[in-house]
Amino acid sequence: MSLRLGGLVPWSSVDYPGRQAAVLFVIGCPWRCPYCHNSHLWAGEAGLSWPVVRSFLETRVGLLDAVVISGGEPLAQASAVHKALVEIRALGFGTALHTAGVSARRLQTLLGDLDWIGLDIKGPFSRYDAITARDGSGAAARASVEAVLRSGKPHELRTTVHPELLSSHDLATMLRELTALGARSVTLKNFRPMGCPDPRLATTYRPWLTSQLATELRAIMPGVVLPDG
């Protein structure tokens, strides 16, 4: 298998809610989000081979519930990721994917072999091209959201918030757009400087959630999950 892997976390309790999981990190991403905390995986050489990872997973049968494929962007290697998912399920593990939805067509090919999807939402679809530095990314993300919601698969939509990239107006617009598509919950997360490729963002981050904004966002989407501070 040609799956290019950049890392492995042997145990995690947070990457697949409610499950004890190993996390595989694939190499490659076509987008260049300036707050990415895994920018070292945008490109580079594989640090792990699939046979080595599979051998490790065989020793965890009965000890772990699931395997999460993250990145980078797994859809950049969709064919190889699909083959890995089939083998992971054959070992008896649940399967999960972390993705930004860079290609709805590729995501659709994986949905049948996934038990859970974590879908990163960058902001209102009109802001995508500026945030990802790639034209047409908003349309791809919208189609991916629609595919996930249509599938009925358990999922989490989540957004990293940096006030230099997303204003209060942007957040409200994003929730309205997602609500119109049928989403009932989005988890908003504070920016973290770890691994961020843009040092300016680390120095300009400031608390953004006020009680007034929290009230406004909940009025748009009652199920929105807000950070503690």
Side-chain angles (χ1 to χ4, degrees):
M1 187 187 299
S2 59
L3 183 63
R4 298 168 59 234
L5 293 166
L8 163 68
V9 172
W11 175 83
S12 170
S13 62
V14 298
D15 288 277
Y16 183 165
R19 300 289 186 94
Q20 308 297 309
V23 186
L24 309 182
F25 294 89
V26 303
I27 291 173
C29 183
W31 293 356
R32 291 296 180 264
C33 305
Y35 55 78
C36 180
H37 65 273
N38 280 342
S39 58
H40 64 287
L41 293 171
W42 286 350
E45 298 299 321
L48 289 170
S49 70
W50 171 249
V52 169
V53 171
R54 182 191 164 92
S55 294
F56 164 77
L57 293 176
E58 288 172 349
T59 70
R60 293 301 184 268
V61 172
L63 301 176
L64 293 174
D65 303 316
V67 177
V68 178
I69 300 185
S70 187
E73 171 50 65
L75 297 182
Q77 299 187 57
S79 179
V81 166
H82 196 186
K83 292 176 182 178
L85 289 171
V86 170
E87 294 191 29
I88 290 166
R89 289 173 75 87
L91 290 172
F93 294 110
T95 55
L97 188 78
H98 292 177
T99 179
V102 302
S103 168
R105 177 182 58 81
R106 293 182 180 183
L107 178 58
Q108 191 71 51
T109 66
L110 304 182
L111 286 173
D113 288 295
L114 289 170
D115 299 307
W116 183 85
I117 305 102
L119 184 57
D120 292 328
I121 308 298
K122 306 302 180 181
F125 298 121
S126 63
R127 295 278 293 118
Y128 261 73
D129 290 2
I131 293 172
T132 67
R134 293 294 183 270
D135 293 342
S137 55
R142 181 188 179 102
S144 292
V145 172
E146 291 173 334
V148 168
L149 295 177
R150 187 168 56 246
S151 75
K153 296 275 185 174
H155 64 273
E156 178 186 66
L157 307 182
R158 66 271 187 104
T159 299
T160 296
V161 181
H162 191 302
E164 291 294 312
L165 298 174
L166 294 175
S167 66
S168 298
H169 175 74
D170 288 331
L171 293 173
T173 299
M174 179 187 76
L175 293 190
R176 290 190 183 97
E177 290 177 344
L178 294 172
T179 297
L181 293 179
R184 295 296 174 259
S185 178
V186 179
T187 298
L188 303 186
K189 300 184 177 183
N190 290 326
F191 163 83
R192 295 182 300 164
M194 180 184 66
C196 176
D198 185 344
R200 184 186 64 85
L201 291 180
T203 60
T204 58
Y205 180 76
R206 61 188 184 278
W208 56 272
L209 184 61
T210 64
S211 58
Q212 178 179 346
L213 178 59
T215 299
E216 293 173 0
L217 297 179
R218 289 191 177 107
I220 298 169
M221 179 184 282
V224 66
V225 178
L226 302 173
D228 293 333

